[in-house]
Amino acid sequence: KDEIKRIVKAFGEAAVLLASVGVDGVQIHGHEGYLIDQFMTALWNKRTDEYGGSLENRMRFPLEIIETIRSEVGKTFPIIFRYGVKHFAKECSHFGNFPWATALPSEDFEEKGRDIPESIEIAKILEKAGVDALDLDVGCYEGWYWAHPPCYMPHGYAIEYVSQVKKAVNIPVITAGRLGIPELAEEILRDGKADIISLGRALLADPYWPKKVLEGRIEDIRPCLGGHDGCVQRPLFHSRVLSCAVNPACGREREFELRPAIKQKKVLIVGGGVAGMEAARVAAIRGHQVILYEKSGELGGHLIEASAPDFK
C-alpha cells in the first residue's frame, strides 16, 4: 500500500510538471494490461484488500490517481482516460506465449478479461470522477491482435464495441483501430459512434494525413499496411530505431530529407517493380527528368501478386 501511495503521488507530480511547461492535458494509460489495467481487471487483480475484489475496489487505484491530479492542477486541466472495452482474452498468459490466449475474429470463446457490460460501468464511474474524455479501443497483451491490429484485421474493427460504451456517457469518446481511411473515419463521426478519431501508425506512414484530408487530396495519402515491421518489431523486439515499411524516412526525417539535386539529369530506370517505381519517384521529387521502362506494360512488380488476398 505504501508503494501504491508513492505511485499515486508521482502521477500528481508529473501532471504539475507537464502543466508548468504548457502541456494542454494528460492521458492516463489504463490500457492493454499495464499497471492501472491490472488493478482494474479481475483476471489479473487477485488482491484481497480494498484494492481488489469488487469493481468499486478495483477502480480505487485509478480513481485515486485522477483525484490526485485534479487536486494538483485543478478542474480546468483536461484528463483523458484510455482503456480497452473488451480484452479478447481466452486465458491469463505471460509475455512470450500471449498469442495462444488471444481470441480470433468470429471465434466462439469465453471472455476471461473485461467485457462490454463492465466497460459501460467503468465509463460511468470515470465520467462521475471528472474525467474529460475517454479514449477507447479493444485488446490487451492476451488479446494482442486486437490491441495491435495487423493487416488482416478489418479497418474500424473496434468501433462496434466502442460505440456501445459511448452511448452510456456524455463526455467525448476518442477511438482508434485502423481508422486511416478518411471516408471511414468521417462515417464514424457522422454516425455518432465516436467524437474524435485517433491515428497512430497511419501518421507514421503519412504524417501529412490530416493536411491531405483537409485539402481533399485523399488519393495522395500513403496508407499504413498494418505490417508491424518498422513500428513494432524493430523498436520493441529488436531495439532498433522506429521506421515504417512505406515511409523509410519515418523517425529520421532530417537524415532522409529529399532535397533538390544540385545538378539535374535525365534518368532512365529499367523495371517498374517496387524498387524501380520508388527510384523514379524519389528522382522526380529531386528534380530529375525521369523515364521509367517496364516490359510487361503493367507497373507494380511483386506487389501485384502480393495484393491478391482481400485484406491487403
Side-chain angles (χ1 to χ4, degrees):
K1 290 182 183 179
D2 289 339
E3 187 178 15
I4 291 173
K5 291 178 181 177
R6 288 199 303 272
I7 293 171
V8 169
K9 185 172 182 285
F11 270 94
E13 293 169 345
V16 169
L17 288 172
L18 293 168
S20 69
V21 296
V23 172
D24 298 311
V26 292
Q27 177 168 276
I28 299 172
H29 194 253
H31 185 253
E32 206 179 338
Y34 287 96
L35 181 63
I36 296 174
D37 201 13
Q38 289 169 21
F39 271 86
M40 294 168 60
T41 307
L43 176 65
W44 305 305
N45 186 341
K46 304 302 181 183
R47 298 180 72 102
T48 57
D49 59 8
E50 67 268 32
Y51 288 96
S54 66
L55 178 60
E56 179 184 6
N57 284 355
R58 286 184 273 120
M59 288 297 295
R60 194 178 304 277
F61 179 55
L63 290 178
E64 287 180 354
I65 290 171
I66 294 166
E67 183 181 3
T68 298
I69 293 173
R70 277 278 175 253
S71 67
E72 293 290 344
V73 295
K75 294 182 178 180
T76 60
F77 190 73
I79 297 175
I80 301 170
F81 196 97
R82 177 167 171 78
Y83 72 98
V85 300
K86 186 173 174 64
H87 279 139
F88 287 94
K90 294 189 291 186
E91 60 183 89
C92 188
S93 182
H94 61 82
F95 197 86
N97 75 341
F98 54 84
W100 308 112
T102 302
L104 297 176
S106 302
E107 182 178 358
D108 185 18
F109 74 103
E110 179 186 354
E111 176 65 73
K112 295 294 182 68
R114 181 182 304 119
D115 216 334
I116 301 299
E118 186 170 80
S119 286
I120 290 173
E121 293 306 309
I122 290 173
K124 293 176 180 178
I125 292 170
L126 292 170
E127 182 177 35
K128 185 178 179 181
V131 168
D132 296 286
L134 301 175
D135 189 352
L136 307 177
D137 65 353
V138 294
C140 61
Y141 269 89
E142 273 77 3
W144 177 259
Y145 310 124
W146 299 85
H148 303 274
C151 59
Y152 52 77
M153 293 291 276
H155 290 272
Y157 67 95
I159 194 62
E160 64 175 296
Y161 309 102
V162 170
S163 60
Q164 296 178 57
V165 179
K166 175 179 161 45
K167 295 175 184 177
V169 294
N170 295 311
I171 55 177
V173 167
I174 307 166
T175 192
R178 300 207 75 197
L179 300 180
I181 298 177
E183 295 86 351
L184 173 62
E186 186 176 22
E187 178 185 340
I188 290 169
L189 298 178
R190 187 176 60 244
D191 293 346
K193 295 179 178 179
D195 301 295
I196 299 171
I197 298 298
S198 177
L199 301 177
R201 293 175 299 169
L203 297 182
L204 299 180
D206 193 336
Y208 296 103
W209 191 102
K211 187 173 189 291
K212 291 176 180 178
V213 171
L214 189 64
E215 296 173 352
R217 296 162 51 209
I218 305 300
E219 292 184 357
D220 291 341
I221 293 173
R222 184 192 294 114
C224 168
L225 303 181
H228 283 168
D229 180 66
C231 57
V232 177
Q233 292 287 341
R234 285 173 61 94
L236 192 59
F237 297 113
H238 303 298
S239 300
R240 299 172 69 185
V241 67
L242 178 80
S243 185
C244 176
V246 297
N247 180 16
C250 174
R252 291 169 287 180
E253 287 81 4
R254 290 184 179 178
E255 181 183 351
F256 289 162
E257 181 183 0
L258 297 179
R259 298 184 177 92
I262 297 174
K263 183 178 181 181
Q264 296 180 351
K265 302 178 180 180
K266 183 180 289 186
V267 178
L268 171 64
I269 296 173
V270 180
V274 178
M277 290 193 297
E278 177 67 1
R281 185 186 76 87
V282 171
I285 289 173
R286 298 195 65 205
H288 298 299
Q289 182 182 344
V290 180
I291 301 171
L292 177 64
Y293 275 96
E294 167 55 44
K295 66 178 180 179
S296 72
E298 186 175 13
L299 295 174
H302 289 303
L303 280 181
I304 297 172
E305 60 262 32
S307 64
D310 58 7
F311 56 83
K312 289 194 174 183

